Amino acid sequence: MDLTELNRIATAMVVSGKGILAADESSGTIKKRFDAIGVESTEENRRDYREMLFRSKDAMSQYISGVILYDETIWQDARDGTPLIRLIEQSGAIPGIKVDEGTQALPMCPGELVTIGLDKLAERLKKYHERGARFAKWRAVIDIGSGIPSTTAISVNAHALARYAALCQAAQIVPIVEPEVLMDGDHDIDRCYEVTSRVLNKTFEELRVQRVALEGMVLKPNMAISGKKCAKQASVEEVAEKTIRLLKACVPAAVPGIAFLSGGQSDEEATAHLNAMHRLGALPWGLTFSYGRALQAAPQKAWSGKAENIAAGQRAFSHRARMNGLASKGEWQSSLEQKAA
Ligand code: 13P
């Protein structure tokens, strides 16, 4: 393992002013997104859609540090025959790959999930590295509800995340470690804080036990935020203040960077929260976005599967990428949103 090189890549992924485009929706998830805009989820449509994003030259070169791909996409060619992964490299962004294989019910723990995909992972990582992937992603899912999460669910998911991260580093790939605490419930921000704190502490404990080099990874956490169905929604300032307090308490300074998931926040909320965190002062790690929905909802709608809308889709994507790029430096203002509309 060349840790200097892993650290160089991890640092580039979270460089100030840029963030990560999570374009790694599984076939099931992208179908849901396409259903919402009335587009059939064919291999060609998925290719055309992602090609539109990766050919958004300004956005990709100025605001996107890396792109997380799904297995289908990393082997796919653009319409002119150029591999899609080469378009990403040509823009200056780093290609990455989702390597988990989704979730399964966790036995003995009703309502809880464990992420799978460790079998043959070493072989898969080798092929992805040869193809050009320089980082990977594995997402664990922790739900908050009555009596959950259990210690068991937190523990087995942390163990799997660390197993994945160690295998990545051995294959010279930077692991994005993503323990996502869902925001779907009616819990308040303090319950989210408490659960996320347990999850992060257990995850870093497992990373240490399994000898993962913290200097060669990126953490992808949720923010400390109110559940979507909670009657009392925390303000932007409270989310920013509690998230930074939580991360400072749980994430060692040896970690080069943190890149948030958007998790169901609105586009503008995801931007405003990241921006507010940067207004709180200097931080021990890089802090940016690794958004899926909050970067793509607008371009998906603008495109709607029509070739004549590609320029509009790229404009919508460039706008969100720029807004989040500014937020990663604390330089975003809500008035910039209106101007573009
Ligand atoms: P969202 O930003 O849509 O939550 O997706 C990010 C991601 O990669 C989840 O694994």
Side-chain angles (χ1 to χ4, degrees):
M1 173 181 82
D2 177 351
L3 184 54
T4 307
E5 178 61 7
L6 288 177
N7 178 260
R8 191 193 64 76
I9 294 165
T11 305
M13 287 161 65
V14 295
V15 67
S16 178
K18 293 187 179 187
I20 299 166
L21 165 63
D24 60 325
E25 299 84 358
S26 63
S27 305
T29 302
I30 197 75
K31 183 177 179 313
K32 266 195 258 164
R33 307 279 181 262
F34 277 14
D35 284 349
I37 53 169
V39 175
E40 197 189 342
S41 184
T42 62
E43 188 177 341
E44 195 181 349
N45 284 342
R46 293 191 292 270
R47 189 275 308 275
D48 287 350
Y49 168 65
R50 285 163 172 152
E51 180 172 352
M52 171 183 87
L53 298 179
F54 307 158
R55 282 196 195 276
S56 301
K57 276 218 180 70
D58 291 350
M60 290 291 295
S61 61
Q62 293 180 62
Y63 309 115
I64 301 297
S65 59
V67 180
I68 318 176
L69 299 169
Y70 184 58
D71 180 74
E72 175 184 88
T73 321
I74 201 170
W75 306 110
Q76 243 171 357
D77 292 339
R79 263 180 190 265
D80 69 359
T82 312
L84 290 177
I85 188 171
R86 300 286 99 79
L87 297 183
I88 294 165
E89 291 167 347
Q90 284 160 14
S91 76
I94 307 165
I97 180 78
K98 169 193 176 79
V99 300
D100 68 68
E101 294 177 331
T103 54
Q104 271 185 358
L106 179 60
M108 314 302 161
C109 296
E112 298 194 281
L113 300 169
V114 62
T115 302
I116 58 166
L118 289 169
D119 288 353
K120 310 249 169 64
L121 181 54
E123 288 91 323
R124 288 161 57 216
L125 288 168
K126 188 164 178 291
K127 285 199 199 112
Y128 288 141
H129 190 273
E130 281 165 11
R131 181 73 172 168
R134 291 295 174 264
F135 69 91
K137 179 191 112 169
W138 177 289
R139 172 176 176 257
V141 184
I142 302 290
D143 204 359
I144 300 181
S146 142
I148 62 168
S150 64
T151 311
T152 312
I154 293 175
S155 178
V156 295
N157 277 293
H159 185 267
L161 275 168
R163 288 264 288 132
Y164 140 83
L167 285 164
C168 283
Q169 292 190 336
Q172 203 52 39
I173 286 181
V174 171
I176 293 185
V177 172
E178 180 180 5
E180 174 173 5
V181 177
L182 297 177
M183 60 180 291
D184 295 341
D186 60 3
H187 54 275
D188 66 10
I189 186 170
D190 293 324
R191 175 107 167 95
C192 173
Y193 185 109
E194 175 236 333
V195 170
T196 307
S197 162
R198 280 166 62 202
V199 168
L200 290 176
N201 286 335
K202 189 66 190 173
T203 301
F204 279 101
E205 182 187 321
E206 278 296 338
L207 290 168
R208 282 202 186 86
V209 167
Q210 298 190 40
R211 305 184 180 184
V212 173
L214 301 185
E215 297 83 354
M217 63 163 275
V218 168
L219 179 72
K220 177 162 173 166
N222 52 284
M223 298 178 189
I225 197 164
S226 323
K228 269 195 229 158
K229 293 184 219 132
C230 180
K232 192 170 158 278
Q233 291 290 311
S235 66
V236 170
E237 288 68 31
E238 188 178 0
V239 169
E241 187 268 316
K242 288 189 170 161
T243 301
I244 293 301
R245 182 141 53 90
L246 169 69
L247 294 174
K248 281 186 174 167
C250 300
V251 184
V255 173
I258 297 173
F260 291 108
L261 58 97
S262 60
Q265 300 177 46
S266 74
D267 297 358
E268 210 168 315
E269 274 167 1
T271 306
H273 287 147
L274 176 62
N275 189 65
M277 290 180 213
H278 279 282
R279 298 268 173 99
L280 295 173
L283 299 167
W285 357 253
L287 189 79
T288 190
F289 58 92
S290 174
Y291 294 159
R293 282 163 283 181
L295 273 173
Q296 295 187 63
Q300 276 162 8
K301 213 167 148 214
W303 171 64
S304 290
K306 300 198 175 75
E308 64 268 28
N309 291 339
I310 284 178
Q314 290 179 325
R315 271 200 304 280
F317 173 53
S318 299
H319 175 66
R320 286 268 45 91
R322 179 165 161 263
M323 293 298 101
N324 286 305
L326 289 170
S328 80
K329 300 190 282 186
E331 293 174 6
W332 172 84
Q333 291 168 7
S334 62
S335 58
L336 294 168
E337 300 284 352
Q338 277 97 56
K339 261 183 229 161

